[in-house]
Amino acid sequence: MLSVVKSGGTFGINGYIVDVEVNITQGLPQFITVGLPDTAVKESRERVKSAIENIGIKFPVKKITVNLAPADILKVGTLYDLPIAVGILSSSGILDQSKLEKTAFIGELALNGDLRPVKGILPIAIKLKSEGFENFILPQENAKEAAIVEGLNVYGFKNLKEILDFLNGDLEKQPEQVDFEKVLECNLEKFGDFAEVKGQYAVKKALEIAAAGFHNLLMIGSPGSGKTMLARRFVSILPPLSFEEAIEITKIHSVAGILKDSIVRCRPFRSPHHTISDIALIGGGSYPKPGEVSLAHNGVLFLDELPEFKKSTLEVLRQPLEDKVVSISRASGKLEFPANFQLIAAANPCPCGYRFDPVKECKCTPAEIKRYLGKISGPLLDRIDLSVTVLPVKTQDLSSNLPEESSKQIRDRVLKAVEIQQNRFKNEKIRFNSQMTPSLIQQYAKLSQEAQNTLNLAAEKLNLTARSYHRIIKVARTIADLEQSEEILHKHIVTAVNYKVNENLI
């Protein structure tokens, strides 16, 4: 007897529908799985057989053929255990096929019939909803993640026996509920507070500008000057996630298998070690997975000790910094992972780190300094909007009892600037000043005559590239927004140029 159970899979960060066709016929006992399964899927026969027997049902001693359609896409993982088991129960007459209408199944089975969570649930749930499915049955641990999709009845179960009783009408179960009003509440306290950082007013201002306009930033300073401390508090002044942004991030984290909650509530802060490989940073592999740049989507990618990263690793950042997406081509097809991240980087000014230290002497030669900073290529620096020198904190600042500005105070100004941008770009496909194209710059970044003259003079004197020229205007637009100025003035351009051109990188 033939039965068809609906399930799903992921390709990149998008879901697709999988038909699990189970046919039981007379013949020598066999369990054959076709439809381009990987090793984990092939091994499901042992888990399914043991799970069915351990809930008190005799496993059919017949020829069982399982086909996973579409058969031209590689099926990866253990998520097909449950639909295969349900298909066998339906083909054996224990479940009525009509009760499987408009219902999808996903989950890994333990040998005793318990259900274990799997990854990639959210993109599959979104696809199921778009295809008109009404019910989604899956492990209890995955239920809240899938319930984020409105209009889909999500049922989480602990074991296969519960699902069997539910489908046969012997067990009542309510769909999983999510409080959408509280779903995006982010606890910013875990990121720290700028009130804890003494001094460093110029750096804090640069971080505020970066947060308001979604600009990339590089901090250069000696060890112990507070670069990492400042960077880790950066998320505390960023604007909150919109629901659409949170869904995008959650899809990526779900596919990567690192989702710790039903939805990502705060902007991501990813801080990979400088020994990271190119693939781990950018994404890829035999079965392509998102890298750190995609895991930081709509959030922050913090690269500490930037010159310590391999030059080849840093160079792969150039394309996603510009295009906001990572394209990976394989024989099976082309995948795209979103990578609209904000780069915050920190670097020492020289190999020993004490080039700007007022007490410790730097013993690096000019050639060593040039070689060290040369690891940060010109094209990569060109894509960084703000560069600021972080000097050691003065003793009087450290011992001062005067209160420092809190993250909330800085964030309030950032939110006002973000609101201005959202109103400005309400008819465009962008949200922040850093995302403006040259045509949008002409439309929305009006410079006063004095500001235009200053920018032209700086471009000639400093031999700026067209990219740097436009990035200075974008930063100046953000500075003007923070001051709630409609026009970009001379002082805004001067500040933006000073942040863009850092003499300590030369």
Side-chain angles (χ1 to χ4, degrees):
M1 180 178 174
L2 174 67
S3 66
V4 179
V5 180
K6 297 292 184 177
S7 187
T10 57
F11 187 73
I13 64 163
N14 296 314
Y16 65 95
I17 306 300
V18 174
D19 289 343
V20 180
E21 302 170 345
V22 179
N23 191 40
I24 300 179
T25 57
Q26 296 294 338
L28 292 174
Q30 282 183 297
F31 195 126
I32 304 168
T33 305
V34 296
L36 215 58
D38 75 340
T39 303
V41 178
K42 290 177 181 177
E43 290 175 348
S44 66
R45 62 178 179 270
E46 303 301 332
R47 294 190 295 271
V48 169
K49 180 181 179 182
S50 179
I52 289 175
E53 289 177 341
N54 279 309
I55 63 170
I57 297 174
K58 185 177 179 181
F59 192 80
V61 188
K62 296 180 180 180
K63 181 181 179 180
I64 301 173
T65 305
V66 177
N67 179 44
L68 305 175
D72 60 339
I73 300 177
L74 180 65
K75 314 303 186 304
V76 180
T78 57
L79 66 168
Y80 302 109
D81 290 4
L82 177 58
I84 290 173
V86 171
I88 290 173
L89 294 174
S90 177
S91 292
S92 302
I94 298 170
L95 273 176
D96 188 347
Q97 177 73 31
S98 64
K99 294 180 179 180
L100 309 182
E101 294 290 328
K102 294 186 178 181
T103 301
F105 299 80
I106 276 177
E108 178 185 337
L109 286 171
L111 296 182
N112 64 354
D114 287 348
L115 284 169
R116 290 174 175 158
V118 294
K119 58 187 181 181
I121 289 296
L122 183 58
I124 295 172
I126 292 172
K127 181 63 176 178
L128 292 173
K129 174 62 175 64
S130 69
E131 293 292 326
F133 282 79
E134 296 176 358
N135 307 310
F136 192 15
I137 292 175
L138 72 177
Q140 185 67 56
E141 290 89 337
N142 291 129
K144 287 193 178 298
E145 178 187 344
I148 295 296
V149 181
E150 289 189 273
L152 187 66
N153 296 322
V154 176
Y155 298 94
F157 293 94
K158 294 180 180 178
N159 54 59
L160 181 59
K161 182 68 168 62
E162 285 186 355
I163 294 174
L164 185 60
D165 292 341
F166 173 73
L167 293 173
N168 284 329
D170 299 326
L171 175 68
E172 289 189 7
K173 182 84 172 180
Q174 294 300 316
E176 192 73 29
Q177 299 295 323
V178 172
D179 188 346
F180 286 94
E181 291 184 3
K182 297 182 178 179
V183 75
L184 289 183
E185 288 183 354
C186 172
N187 178 22
L188 292 174
E189 293 180 1
K190 64 182 180 180
F191 297 106
D193 198 304
F194 274 101
E196 301 165 340
V197 183
K198 296 290 186 180
Q200 304 295 11
Y201 304 112
V203 188
K204 288 179 183 177
K205 188 62 182 177
L207 288 165
E208 180 182 335
I209 296 167
F214 210 77
H215 299 288
N216 302 320
L217 179 142
L218 171 63
M219 293 179 286
I220 304 170
S222 54
S225 57
K227 302 187 297 296
T228 304
M229 185 180 186
L230 286 158
R232 293 194 180 280
R233 282 154 179 75
F234 182 64
V235 177
S236 68
I237 63 172
L238 289 175
L241 285 170
S242 66
F243 187 74
E244 292 74 19
E245 286 178 321
I247 289 293
E248 286 181 352
I249 302 167
T250 304
K251 284 171 66 177
I252 298 168
H253 286 215
S254 178
V255 168
I258 64 169
L259 189 64
K260 297 178 181 178
D261 201 349
S262 59
I263 193 170
V264 176
R265 302 169 189 269
C266 303
R267 292 193 180 273
F269 182 88
R270 304 294 300 181
S271 179
H273 193 261
H274 60 78
T275 56
I276 190 171
S277 67
D278 299 6
I279 290 177
L281 182 64
I282 207 73
S286 302
Y287 303 134
K289 292 183 178 180
E292 290 291 335
V293 296
S294 295
L295 297 176
H297 180 63
N298 287 331
V300 179
L301 178 67
F302 175 52
L303 300 184
D304 203 0
E305 305 296 344
L306 190 65
E308 298 297 336
F309 285 78
K310 291 185 296 183
K311 191 164 185 177
S312 62
T313 303
L314 293 179
E315 290 307 297
V316 299
L317 286 173
R318 288 160 56 177
Q319 184 255 339
L321 277 171
E322 199 69 26
D323 300 336
K324 308 300 182 184
V325 69
V326 174
S327 299
I328 299 171
S329 296
R330 294 289 183 271
S332 57
K334 183 179 179 181
L335 293 175
E336 284 193 348
F337 293 120
N340 185 21
F341 61 94
Q342 195 167 1
L343 177 64
I344 303 295
N348 290 334
C350 62
C352 76
Y354 296 109
R355 184 177 165 198
F356 305 136
D357 197 287
V359 178
K360 297 183 180 180
E361 183 183 358
C362 172
K363 298 181 179 179
C364 302
T365 65
E368 289 174 332
I369 295 171
K370 186 176 181 179
R371 185 165 55 250
Y372 181 75
L373 293 178
K375 295 179 183 178
I376 311 172
S377 69
L380 181 59
L381 282 175
D382 216 21
R383 288 165 170 81
I384 294 176
D385 305 318
L386 302 155
S387 177
V388 61
T389 300
V390 187
L391 298 173
V393 183
K394 296 177 182 179
T395 305
Q396 55 264 39
D397 287 334
L398 286 172
S399 60
S400 173
N401 292 323
L402 294 174
E404 296 288 340
E405 204 171 28
S406 68
S407 290
K408 185 182 182 304
Q409 291 172 298
I410 300 172
R411 193 175 193 237
D412 287 343
R413 293 196 297 270
V414 168
L415 291 178
K416 287 178 182 177
V418 169
E419 185 180 358
I420 291 171
Q421 293 170 74
Q422 288 177 344
N423 290 331
R424 176 186 298 133
F425 302 128
K426 61 184 176 182
N427 296 322
E428 308 293 345
K429 295 181 179 180
I430 63 171
R431 295 188 65 209
F432 298 102
N433 290 327
S434 63
Q435 299 166 344
M436 286 192 291
T437 61
S439 61
L440 291 179
I441 289 173
Q442 282 189 334
Q443 185 176 350
Y444 296 114
K446 303 294 185 183
L447 277 68
S448 68
Q449 189 58 53
E450 187 182 7
Q452 186 66 65
N453 293 339
T454 302
L455 179 58
N456 291 343
L457 183 63
E460 285 184 25
K461 189 174 180 181
L462 300 170
N463 196 25
L464 296 177
T465 64
R467 183 186 286 115
S468 292
Y469 182 91
H470 286 136
R471 285 182 182 267
I472 287 171
I473 297 176
K474 294 176 189 179
V475 172
R477 177 69 274 172
T478 301
I479 297 169
D481 288 341
L482 284 166
E483 296 183 4
Q484 299 186 33
S485 171
E486 182 64 30
E487 190 175 34
I488 299 174
L489 305 176
H490 167 74
K491 62 178 181 178
H492 303 145
I493 286 292
V494 170
T495 304
V497 170
N498 287 337
Y499 275 128
K500 178 63 180 172
V501 183
N502 193 326
E503 294 180 353
N504 295 319
L505 281 170
I506 302 173

